[in-house]
Amino acid sequence: MGNSIVFTLRGPWRVPIQFDASLLVLAVLFAMLYIDRGIGTAAIAFAMIVLAILMHELGHAAACVAQNVPVRRVVLFGGGGFCEHDARVTPYQTEFIAIAGPLVNLALWAVASLILPLTITPSEPVLINGTWLTPPQGQSEITRQLTLFARLNLFLTLFNLVPVLPLDGGRLLHSWLHRFFRGITATKIAGGVGVVLAVAWVPLMFAAFFTFGVVLLYFPNIMLHWRMLRSGQG
């Protein structure tokens, strides 16, 4: 992926943040999804998903920094992002690093949800045939965008906790299993869970689209999880 990096900036803790050319594919996808709402709405929606992913990966980076784990870079690409850090980490460090990203998205969802009611202007009651009626509240553009941002972050929280590799949930499951089983046994169990979820992924894609309005560009590596199940090796 290094040859497709089009832009690099220096982020917090002097961590390089790199933007991959495949983000253009994601931009085109958002433009197609929001074509009926205008290019401005599509651009804002794209900016929000990039911001949510960036904050997620910076959450991982912050957990690394807090544990003195060197961070090489953060990369954003069309399918999401990743935080590349030193591979020499303990299972406990791995758990903290893995959970930090979803926790950041959960916090963003909570903040956006708390602010959301403040953007809604109450409708004024009107007198109709001697009865005061309150018309339905209309949604402003700010309300709609903030709602979308909240939903995106909630989706990223839940999506990244799905226990398949290389998602955070898969890393958490694999690390957590090592507390109770030998290395090979833990890997085989994690592989079995991954195989089952990979088979069920298509229904999950439809559920994500109809619940959150999000199109999944990720599909679990069923062969990786099958090797883990068969041989106990990742």
Side-chain angles (χ1 to χ4, degrees):
M1 185 173 291
N3 294 332
S4 57
I5 298 298
V6 296
F7 183 68
T8 301
L9 59 84
R10 187 70 62 180
W13 314 290
R14 302 184 63 83
V15 173
I17 301 175
Q18 299 181 333
F19 297 83
D20 187 77
S22 59
L23 278 172
L24 294 175
V25 177
L26 187 62
V28 172
L29 177 60
F30 268 77
M32 294 172 60
L33 289 174
Y34 290 90
I35 191 172
D36 58 327
R37 304 186 192 179
I39 188 65
T41 301
I44 293 173
F46 173 70
M48 286 193 296
I49 187 65
V50 171
L51 175 62
I53 295 173
L54 174 60
M55 295 302 294
H56 176 100
E57 299 305 332
L58 288 178
H60 291 314
C64 290
V65 172
Q67 300 179 105
N68 295 317
V69 175
V71 180
R72 297 189 180 95
R73 59 175 180 162
V74 165
V75 179
L76 304 185
F77 61 98
F82 61 88
C83 174
E84 186 178 312
H85 58 78
D86 195 312
R88 294 168 295 181
V89 291
T90 67
Y92 290 100
Q93 288 176 319
T94 298
E95 290 176 12
F96 183 39
I97 294 170
I99 197 61
L103 285 179
V104 168
N105 290 125
L106 188 63
L108 291 173
W109 166 78
V111 171
S113 299
L114 288 173
I115 297 174
L116 192 57
L118 303 178
T119 67
I120 301 175
T121 303
S123 301
E124 294 292 333
V126 293
L127 183 62
I128 301 177
N129 297 329
T131 303
W132 288 96
L133 300 175
T134 302
Q137 294 177 339
Q139 284 193 339
S140 66
E141 185 62 26
I142 294 177
T143 302
R144 285 192 289 268
Q145 297 294 356
L146 195 58
T147 300
L148 177 60
F149 186 67
R151 289 179 177 176
L152 282 173
N153 279 283
L154 179 59
F155 166 75
L156 287 176
T157 300
L158 299 176
F159 171 69
N160 278 282
L161 290 177
V162 176
V164 294
L165 291 170
L167 298 181
D168 300 324
R171 299 182 190 280
L172 283 170
L173 176 64
H174 198 197
S175 179
W176 181 74
L177 287 171
H178 276 83
R179 297 188 180 192
F180 305 97
F181 303 98
R182 294 184 301 112
I184 293 179
T185 303
T187 300
K188 285 187 174 182
I189 295 174
V193 172
V195 168
V196 171
L197 288 175
V199 172
W201 199 255
V202 173
L204 287 175
M205 291 174 66
F206 282 101
F209 178 75
F210 288 109
T211 303
F212 297 97
V214 175
V215 178
L216 293 181
L217 300 179
Y218 169 82
F219 196 87
N221 188 334
I222 190 170
M223 294 308 300
L224 168 64
H225 291 92
W226 179 250
R227 288 195 300 269
M228 292 169 62
L229 176 62
R230 290 293 301 272
S231 64
Q233 297 180 356

